[in-house]
Amino acid sequence: MEISGLQWGITIAVIVGLLAYDFIFHARKPHEPTVKEAAMWTSLYVSLALLFGLIVLFWDGPGFAAEYYAGFVTEQALSVDNLFVFLIIMASFKVPRADQQKVLLFGIVVALIARTLFIFVGAAAINRWSALFYVFGLFLIYTAGNLVKGEVTDADEEDEANNVMVRLAKRFLKTTDEYDGDKLFTEVDGKRMMTPMLLVMVAIGLTDIMFALDSIPAIFGLTQETYIVFTATAFSLMGLRQLYFLIDGLLDRLIYLSWGLAIILGFIGVKLILHALHENTLSFINDGQSVHVVEVSTGFSLAVIVGVLVLTVVASLFSPKGRAVRIINGARDWSERYLSLPESAPLEERTQAAEKMKKYRDQLPSVKAKYRDELIESEARYRDLLERAHGLREQRLAQADGGK
């Protein structure tokens, strides 16, 4: 695949332009995107990614187009998994909902820079030492095994949000306990201090770099074309901010996503090892000669990846446990949102929150006891939250009736 310097320049300029437009016209002004806004921008970025695949198809043929689509779908799936940890980090730091867009956009830029460096380093290393495919393959199989062995617990995710660099920053640097809008620095008693917003961005950025260690070997297992690796990775990251707000309420229902990703990473790991055997240069394997093994085609890889993801999502959404997660978390989330609404909030917004809260609360008796025990960390705190929200709703209804 011959890519000219001009084509590289245009591609990078378009990606930087899209990110700049996103920042200037959307993330720069703090606000919580509506579902409609998030859906519109997510659709736009997905459409651009799919359109780029058609351009690859037209200029470079179906083989490279299939590699691009397989890489994009895989990176997009891994990005959705990343959103779980982003959610935990921002909840841990209590980032205001309206300011989360800027944090996510910063994380996307850091991820794009880090992964670009990894892509070019990885491509150069593969060109010099084809045995690196063995390392990538074994690493992906190891990662898949860890996903199957046990899902990340809340404590583990809290630790991700409170990693070493963040703890050191809290200890040695002057930081405030309160946010000052989306500012990174503020003045307290005449002294310039960091806000928690800067710590959140550090946590998100460092987490992005760790995620790159999984995603880059995965996409190199599908294509070794640097241009395709870069563009598939870039397009999967650019719509991540909008996707976060679009599927925020859906994330915790994807209970089998870890299993689906484990299957995909394990499959790509095996594919990489088969490719390494085919390209073998290690003297202690078949005297340094190529080993005749079955090589997995890109079309078959794409079919496996899409099929596994579809089955994972369907099984998650329609399983009894998935339904229990939706009801339990829905009652909790809408109760918290209702309690946090000020008296000055629009009546329509309060009414919607109250109706959603009541809907999930009414469905709680249908949840089996085993799921309640598994999913509710503290029954007493959970019940107290729901009762406080219900009491406030009854109080407001009584006040409204009294005022008529």
Side-chain angles (χ1 to χ4, degrees):
M1 191 177 189
E2 295 294 330
I3 304 297
S4 66
L6 178 63
Q7 188 172 341
W8 269 109
I10 292 174
T11 302
I12 293 172
V14 169
I15 291 170
V16 171
L18 286 171
L19 288 172
Y21 180 86
D22 212 359
F23 174 75
I24 294 170
F25 292 100
H26 295 94
R28 188 177 183 182
K29 182 181 179 182
H31 72 285
E32 179 181 352
T34 63
V35 173
K36 181 179 179 181
E37 179 185 342
M40 180 184 73
W41 283 101
T42 300
S43 301
L44 174 63
Y45 276 114
V46 171
S47 299
L48 287 174
L50 297 177
L51 177 62
F52 182 81
L54 294 179
I55 294 174
V56 174
L57 174 65
F58 178 77
W59 287 106
D60 302 296
F64 289 122
E67 289 181 4
Y68 166 79
Y69 283 124
F72 170 73
V73 172
T74 300
E75 292 297 300
Q76 191 75 70
L78 290 170
S79 296
V80 171
D81 191 45
N82 298 356
L83 292 181
F84 282 102
V85 180
F86 291 170
L87 194 64
I88 294 294
I89 289 174
M90 286 195 277
S92 174
F93 282 99
K94 297 181 175 58
V95 181
R97 187 82 172 165
D99 296 324
Q100 291 181 2
Q101 288 203 82
K102 183 171 286 187
V103 175
L104 287 168
L105 188 57
F106 171 82
I108 289 167
V109 172
V110 171
L112 191 54
I113 294 171
R115 295 183 194 199
T116 299
L117 292 175
F118 285 160
I119 286 168
F120 284 102
V121 170
I126 286 171
N127 286 335
R128 290 194 172 193
W129 190 44
S130 61
L132 192 62
F133 286 118
Y134 286 114
V135 179
F136 281 0
L138 291 172
F139 177 74
L140 291 180
I141 293 172
Y142 170 76
T143 304
N146 282 340
L147 286 172
V148 171
K149 188 169 60 177
E151 294 184 3
V152 178
T153 64
D154 286 345
D156 294 330
E157 291 180 325
E158 286 282 350
D159 190 58
E160 292 276 15
N162 198 28
N163 57 50
V164 175
M165 291 298 292
V166 174
R167 291 198 295 271
L168 288 174
K170 285 181 177 178
R171 182 175 179 181
F172 295 106
L173 300 177
K174 295 178 180 179
T175 60
T176 64
D177 294 326
E178 302 296 329
Y179 288 91
D180 185 6
D182 59 358
K183 294 179 181 178
L184 303 182
F185 296 90
T186 188
E187 285 194 6
V188 178
D189 297 329
K191 296 180 180 179
R192 188 171 177 80
M193 300 179 70
M194 291 193 309
T195 69
M197 183 64 70
L198 184 59
L199 297 180
V200 176
M201 290 187 172
V202 170
I204 292 285
L206 292 175
T207 304
D208 276 327
I209 293 173
M210 288 188 291
F211 283 141
L213 298 177
D214 291 341
S215 65
I216 297 306
I219 194 170
F220 268 118
L222 299 168
T223 178
Q224 286 80 59
E225 294 293 339
T226 306
Y227 184 75
I228 291 179
V229 172
F230 172 76
T231 51
T233 301
F235 277 113
S236 71
L237 288 171
M238 284 194 299
L240 199 58
R241 177 179 64 82
Q242 293 83 358
L243 189 64
Y244 173 88
F245 290 97
L246 179 62
I247 67 174
D248 187 4
L250 184 64
L251 282 174
D252 51 14
R253 292 183 60 191
L254 299 178
I255 57 176
Y256 299 124
L257 180 62
S258 292
W259 282 90
L261 292 177
I263 293 171
I264 290 172
L265 291 179
F267 168 78
I268 297 175
V270 171
K271 182 177 185 291
L272 271 171
I273 291 176
L274 290 175
H275 181 72
L277 289 170
H278 185 74
E279 302 288 332
N280 180 58
T281 57
L282 297 179
S283 59
F284 56 87
I285 298 178
N286 198 32
D287 294 327
Q289 300 300 311
S290 172
V291 179
H292 297 289
V293 292
V294 175
E295 286 224 65
V296 182
S297 68
T298 304
F300 182 74
S301 299
L302 179 59
V304 169
I305 292 166
V306 173
V308 169
L309 286 177
V310 169
L311 288 174
T312 298
V313 172
V314 171
S316 295
L317 297 182
F318 291 96
S319 69
K321 185 177 178 180
R323 180 178 178 275
V325 168
R326 176 177 61 84
I327 294 172
I328 290 171
N329 290 353
R332 180 200 64 206
D333 294 344
W334 282 104
S335 294
E336 289 177 342
R337 185 170 298 190
Y338 185 74
L339 285 170
S340 67
L341 287 174
E343 292 295 331
S344 59
L347 178 60
E348 182 181 355
E349 187 177 357
R350 286 193 301 177
T351 301
Q352 180 196 34
E355 290 175 350
K356 291 278 190 180
M357 177 181 69
K358 183 178 183 302
K359 182 186 78 169
Y360 288 117
R361 180 187 172 96
D362 291 344
Q363 292 177 2
L364 277 173
S366 66
V367 177
K368 293 182 179 180
K370 67 175 183 178
Y371 293 133
R372 292 178 66 95
D373 294 341
E374 178 184 350
L375 298 170
I376 299 177
E377 184 177 343
S378 172
E379 180 73 31
R381 286 204 304 268
Y382 184 83
R383 186 171 296 278
D384 175 66
L385 171 66
L386 266 56
E387 290 303 324
R388 284 191 291 115
H390 179 69
L392 179 60
R393 175 176 177 270
E394 292 297 315
Q395 178 185 336
R396 285 173 171 169
L397 288 174
Q399 290 174 348
D401 290 338
K404 291 180 180 179

